[in-house]
Amino acid sequence: MSSSTCDWATVSVAYVAVTNRPATLILGTSATANGWLTNGSPTVPTTVICYYGTNNGGTTKANWQTNQVVGAAMPGGLFSTLLSGLITNKT
């Protein structure tokens, strides 16, 4: 699987954190990215976006080749999303 990270956006100053979890259902060109969203304000919707690609873009969103919205109004808890278009035998 290519490098990946998940990010979030929120409309308040509430405590929000994403913990990446190991990928599952890893196939030749796809895998399921998993994580845990901690949202200090369950009444404030949080958008989770996974960024991935063949290079590690770090904390600069524009440096990632691909991104995928996981959810637009997530209160917190486990999340997962299918990432496709991956390159076989890349980590």
Side-chain angles (χ1 to χ4, degrees):
M1 188 171 102
S2 302
S3 296
S4 68
T5 189
C6 292
D7 194 10
W8 65 93
T10 188
V11 294
S12 81
V13 187
Y15 172 77
V16 176
V18 170
T19 304
N20 292 330
R21 298 214 164 179
T24 55
L25 300 173
I26 300 168
L27 301 172
T29 60
S30 66
T32 299
N34 302 292
W36 179 268
L37 172 64
T38 301
N39 186 349
S41 177
T43 61
V44 176
T46 298
T47 298
V48 175
I49 304 170
C50 282
Y51 294 86
Y52 61 102
T54 56
N55 64 306
N56 185 339
T59 59
T60 305
K61 297 174 189 177
N63 290 347
W64 291 96
Q65 293 149 312
T66 310
N67 68 72
Q68 180 170 320
V69 175
V70 177
M74 300 180 65
L78 290 172
F79 66 85
S80 64
T81 190
L82 178 64
L83 305 179
S84 60
L86 304 178
I87 298 172
T88 303
N89 296 323
K90 289 279 190 177
T91 58

